[in-house]
Every structure is written in C-alpha cells, then in structure tokens.
Amino acid sequence: MRAIKNIWAKAGPYKDVILFVVALFVSNAIWKLCVNGDDDNVVVTILGLDVTGFFQWMSEVTAEAVFWIVSQFRDTIYQADAITLRFVTGSGSKIVWSCTPIKQSFIWLCILLVTIGDWKSKSWFIPFGWVCIFVFNILRIAAITFFMEFHPEWFEILHSYIFKYLFYGMMFLLWVWYVEKIRICLS
C-alpha cells in the first residue's frame, strides 16, 4: 500500500489525467456489464430493469433533431418512421438506443465525480457537460447522416472510428476546461 502511495505522490501534475483515464475505462466497463440491449430497440435493460421506453424516446428525440438539422440543408431527406431517416437515394440512418448520448452522459458523470474539485462547481458543470454531449451527439449523427446520402459505404469508418473518437476528444477537452479554468477559478 505504501508503494502505491509513493507512486501516487510522484504522479504530481498527472494525477488529474490518470483519474480521467481510469474513470473513463471503469465507467465504460460498468456500462457494458450493466446495460444490455439490441440495436432494434426491442428491449434495453439496466441491471435487469427494463428501460426500453426511455431509450426509445431518446432515440426518437435524437432522430427528430438530426432530421431537422439535415433537412435545413437537404430537401431529399424524410423520416421513414420515428427513428429512421432516409434519403430519396435509398440510403439513410437508423437512430437506435446506442446512438443516444446516455452512455456518454453516464461516463461524463463518473469522470466529474472522481475529478478533484468542489461540489459547487460540479453541480452546474455536470449538467452543462450533459448539454454539450447532447448537442455534440446530434451534430455527430447529422454529419454522419449527411455523408450517408452519397457515401453509405463510409458509415462504419465515420461511426465507429472518426466520430466516436471525436466524441471522446470533445469530452476530454470539456474536462480540461473544467480542470484548468472552472475548478481553479472557484478554488
């Protein structure tokens, strides 16, 4: 135990980043262990509790917002159903439960809870982060949807790689802003 304390003492300026990375991985693992569902929104459970309705509603809200954004630029898009967006070309996107920002919001909460700082600043910065996460998620899906009209073959690389890591990069920058500006100003 003493060795861990010595290592932690020597971590110095890296303590915050270490806590961020640990919180990111642990909260992601907790999510994967506790949340189960399929991509058709049939059943989503958290620790066996059926939360499908909430996730379905979030999918519909997300789809509606993405539809509104894309339709401002493209008149070739339509909503095939509450969560499916299609272009007249036949390509499109289906906004399933895992496309909602709920997982990232959970991860954000966990990260901020373990970040060193006062509760006064966290009490408003956590919800502020949730709003940023929700807006970024809408813009992320809208950007992917834009590409889907003429390049549906790009979906996997855009969804699973580029925008996924941009999402976590945005969360990291938001966290850095908290640690470097908000937490210090209020200390």
Side-chain angles (χ1 to χ4, degrees), residues 66-75 77 146:
V66 169
F67 173 74
W68 184 84
I69 290 172
V70 175
S71 68
Q72 301 306 303
F73 302 96
R74 304 293 301 153
D75 63 356
I77 192 167
F146 271 116

Side-chain angles (χ1 to χ4, degrees), residues 16-128:
D16 286 324
V17 174
I18 292 166
L19 284 174
F20 176 90
V21 170
V22 169
L24 176 70
F25 284 110
V26 169
S27 59
N28 191 45
I30 290 169
W31 181 270
K32 289 182 184 269
L33 289 171
C34 296
V35 179
N36 294 306
D38 58 9
D39 283 339
D40 292 323
N41 283 6
V42 176
V43 176
V44 182
T45 62
I46 297 176
L47 296 173
L49 178 67
D50 187 347
V51 292
T52 308
F54 176 68
F55 278 90
Q56 177 66 28
W57 175 76
M58 281 300 295
S59 295
E60 292 171 8
V61 168
T62 302
E64 189 66 35
V66 169
F67 173 74
W68 184 84
I69 290 172
V70 175
S71 68
Q72 301 306 303
F73 302 96
R74 304 293 301 153
D75 63 356
T76 55
I77 192 167
Y78 63 95
Q79 271 193 277
D81 60 42
I83 62 170
T84 305
L85 307 177
R86 291 256 179 252
F87 289 99
V88 294
T89 60
S91 62
S93 298
K94 185 173 184 179
I95 315 299
V96 297
W97 72 274
S98 57
C99 295
T100 66
I102 299 170
K103 176 182 178 183
Q104 289 79 8
S105 295
F106 169 74
I107 291 171
W108 175 252
L109 175 66
C110 293
I111 289 169
L112 262 284
L113 287 178
V114 301
T115 298
I116 299 164
D118 64 296
W119 289 105
K120 185 178 178 182
S121 63
K122 288 182 185 184
S123 69
W124 68 267
F125 204 79
I126 290 170
F128 173 76

